[in-house]
Each structure stands twice: as C-alpha cells, then as structure tokens.
C-alpha cells in the first residue's frame, strides 16, 4: 500500500492520528521537499515518528518514482506531503503511476494554505482562481497570472497568490556543466510578490488591481507565530512578515461586513484601511 499523507502546515504534531498510524506501520517513509516546507527539521519528524525519513527531491519524485514505489504492492510505503497531498499535480502523477503498477493507494488529508487562508477572516467561498507568482529573472518576467486576477476582480472575488520557492535549483552554468551544485534555498516574500504584481500592472495597465487595492499578507500560517496583516498593496510592500512561508490575498470587492471587521483587526494602518473600505468598497465603520 502507498500512503500519501498530508502533514498540515505547522510542525511534527500536525499530522493526523490516521496519518501517524500509517507512518509507524510503513517500511519506508519519504518526505517530499520541494513544493513546500514544514517549519521543523527532518530530524524532528524522525524523533516524533520513530522512523527514518528519506527526503525526496523533485528529481526523485518526477523521474525516479519507481524507487519510491518499489515493493509497495507487498509492504506499506508512506509519502509525506506538507499541507494536503493534492496541493501539487506532482503528487497526482505519483498516484497514477502507483495505479499503473497495481499498487493500492490510500490518501490521508490535512490542512493546506488553500483552506487555512480562512484565518485571514475572508470567506472561502468568496475566493476565485488561485494563482502562482514565480521569481522574476532578468530575462523571464511572466505575467500569465494577471488575466486570472482580472477575471476574479471582475467577479468581485478574492485571489489567493501562492508564492514561489526555489529548493535545490542549479545555476545555468552548473546545469550546463552537469555539476550537482545547488543554489541556496529562496522563498518569495510578500514584499517581493507585491513589487512584481505592481510591475505587471504598470506594464498591462488594465486595472486588475492597483497600489491601493486591499490585500492580506500572511506568513507561517498554522504556527504559533503566524502573521496576518491587512492593508493596501503599497503598505504591505514595506511590512516585515519575517521568516517563510509567505502567501498573499488580493481582496475582492464583494467584501462582506464581517470580513471587513476582521481586516480592521489585522490592519497595518487602521485609519488608511477604513478610508479605502469606504472609498473603494462602500463599507463604512
């Protein structure tokens, strides 16, 4: 049996009882390490589980999945995913490959940013399409997400922006020379995401959002030191959200009074927030 187990968002204790039982009964335990990160070390997981944890990098999961699935038709193997198992298409590919090999699969779900973003006070059923914001380079500055945001904006819906992480990335030179040398991990901040969003709006000029659009920046959701701050994009670009992981929500115009009240509780600048709520969202105090 292949168990695909969500770990939640915080630390080693966020695994479900069902997931922990599966881990303890597995012959091998893999930890997917490239679509997200947990806020504790692998060693902390091993201590809590009483099991060795094998780190599975992107190339392992995408190109060497048969190694993970080896003998999983005879013994139990656990594949651990930060958040929920189906937060990334890679994990669906692994499940499909297991089915092709006649291996039974059992999924154990958990919290992910896709539902934990409700901690912002914004109602989950008022969210539109989720988008990803990747690191810009000197020669690659993609803006395909802009059209998705514009569609959400037209409908008055909130937009969850998932921010890029770079783990075990190689420089162009090392890649060309086939040298297994990797760059230090990078995690996009709310500040970097806002700067890139505003750059794209300046280029496109279609008013999908502006510097005065309300947004909520979050970091380390699910941990004891999570940060949730609401303000305009212009305000959030200067706020320090601390250590990763960060996410960003653009607030849609179909904003409920109760949602606005929670935004006030998390405001970077309450006076400015109230002005924008009244002027742009027609919500008074």
């Amino acid at each position: 049996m292949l168990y695909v187990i969500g770990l939640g968002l915080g630390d080693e204790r966020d695994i479900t009882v069902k997931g922990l039982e599966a881990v303890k009964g597995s012959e091998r335990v893999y930890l997917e390490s490239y679509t997200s990160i947990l806020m504790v070390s692998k060693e902390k997981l091993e201590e809590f589980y009483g099991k060795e944890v094998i780190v599975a990098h992107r190339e392992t999961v995408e190109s060497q999945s048969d190694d993970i699935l080896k003998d999983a038709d005879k013994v139990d193997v656990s594949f651990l995913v930060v958040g929920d198992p189906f937060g990334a298409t890679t994990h669906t590919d692994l499940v499909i490959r297991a089915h092709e090999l006649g291996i039974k699969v059992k999924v154990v779900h958990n919290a992910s940013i896709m539902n934990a973003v409700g901690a912002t006070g914004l109602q989950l059923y008022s969210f539109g399409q989720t988008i990803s914001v990747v690191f810009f380079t000197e020669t690659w500055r993609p803006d395909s997400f802009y059209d998705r945001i514009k569609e959400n904006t037209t409908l008055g819906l909130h937009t969850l922006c998932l921010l890029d992480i770079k783990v075990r990335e190689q420089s162009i030179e090392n890649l060309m020379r086939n040298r297994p040398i990797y760059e230090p991990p990078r995690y996009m901040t709310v500040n970097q995401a806002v700067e890139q969003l505003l750059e794209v709006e300046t280029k496109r000029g279609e008013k999908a959002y502006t510097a005065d659009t309300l947004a909520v920046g979050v970091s380390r959701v699910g941990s004891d030191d999570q940060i949730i701050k609401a303000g305009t994009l212009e305000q959030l670009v200067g706020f320090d959200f601390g250590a990763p992981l960060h996410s960003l929500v653009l607030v849609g115009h179909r904003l409920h009074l109760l949602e606005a009240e929670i935004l006030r509780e998390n405001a970077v600048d309450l006076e400015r927030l109230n002005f924008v709520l009244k002027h742009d969202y027609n919500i008074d105090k």
Side-chain angles (χ1 to χ4, degrees):
M1 175 83 75
L2 172 68
Y3 288 93
V4 186
I5 301 170
L7 297 183
L9 296 169
D11 57 29
E12 73 279 8
R13 298 168 296 169
D14 283 350
I15 191 172
T16 64
V17 173
K18 185 182 291 185
L20 184 59
E21 290 174 347
V23 167
K24 288 183 176 293
S26 291
E27 183 166 300
R28 300 192 309 280
V29 179
Y30 294 90
L31 173 64
E32 186 265 272
S33 67
Y34 61 90
T35 61
S36 189
I37 58 167
L38 208 60
M39 298 174 199
V40 293
S41 66
K42 176 178 80 78
E43 289 72 26
K44 196 79 171 177
L45 295 181
E46 291 176 327
E47 180 183 351
F48 187 74
Y49 300 155
K51 286 278 186 177
E52 177 189 3
V53 175
I54 304 165
V55 175
H57 301 295
R58 181 185 295 273
E59 55 268 30
T60 305
V61 180
E62 295 184 350
S63 304
Q64 303 163 22
S65 61
D66 285 359
D67 292 343
I68 296 174
L69 298 174
K70 183 181 179 181
D71 296 328
D73 56 336
K74 305 180 185 70
V75 300
D76 290 341
V77 175
S78 285
F79 183 76
L80 310 181
V81 179
V82 178
D84 187 78
F86 292 132
T89 55
T90 295
H91 312 136
T92 304
D93 290 341
L94 183 65
V95 170
I96 291 172
R97 180 59 180 154
H99 287 161
E100 290 173 347
L101 295 173
I103 296 169
K104 293 181 179 179
V105 178
K106 188 166 186 177
V107 177
V108 182
H109 294 283
N110 210 318
S112 76
I113 190 60
M114 301 291 283
N115 54 25
V117 71
T120 60
L122 299 174
Q123 298 168 358
L124 292 179
Y125 53 77
S126 293
F127 278 76
Q129 301 169 85
T130 298
I131 64 129
S132 296
V133 183
V134 301
F135 281 111
F136 284 177
T137 69
E138 291 183 4
T139 58
W140 189 57
R141 309 178 88 78
D143 63 0
S144 57
F145 60 79
Y146 186 86
D147 295 317
R148 306 289 80 77
I149 297 176
K150 188 177 178 182
E151 290 169 1
N152 290 345
T153 299
T154 300
L155 296 171
L157 300 175
H158 312 313
T159 302
L160 171 61
C161 307
L162 304 178
L163 309 188
D164 200 9
I165 70 173
K166 297 291 187 186
V167 181
R168 280 175 63 91
E169 294 286 324
Q170 292 176 279
S171 67
I172 297 298
E173 179 182 354
N174 287 328
L175 194 60
M176 292 179 65
R177 294 177 181 272
N178 200 29
R179 296 186 299 205
I181 301 173
Y182 301 96
E183 301 296 298
R186 291 191 295 150
Y187 307 98
M188 183 179 286
T189 64
V190 168
N191 320 84
Q192 291 169 315
V194 171
E195 288 175 349
Q196 292 189 184
L197 287 174
L198 292 177
E199 177 184 321
V200 171
E201 176 56 52
T202 298
K203 181 177 74 172
R204 297 285 294 266
E206 299 172 31
K207 302 295 184 184
Y209 50 86
T210 71
D212 290 326
T213 294
L214 286 185
V216 185
V218 300
S219 58
R220 300 175 304 285
V221 172
S223 71
D224 293 335
D225 65 344
Q226 72 177 15
I227 292 176
I228 301 173
K229 282 295 176 181
T232 64
L233 288 175
E234 185 177 41
Q235 289 175 319
L236 294 186
V237 77
F239 188 87
D240 182 5
F241 285 88
L245 293 172
H246 294 190
S247 299
L248 177 69
V249 180
L250 303 180
V251 178
H253 278 81
R254 284 169 49 183
L255 189 67
H256 191 275
L257 293 174
L258 292 178
E259 293 177 298
E261 194 56 39
I262 298 296
L263 293 183
R264 290 188 179 101
E265 291 184 6
N266 295 319
V268 173
D269 180 335
L270 182 57
E271 183 178 355
R272 176 62 178 163
L273 182 73
N274 280 329
F275 174 82
V276 175
L277 284 174
K278 182 175 181 179
H279 184 267
D280 294 345
Y281 293 80
N282 199 30
I283 295 178
D284 210 341
K285 288 188 292 183

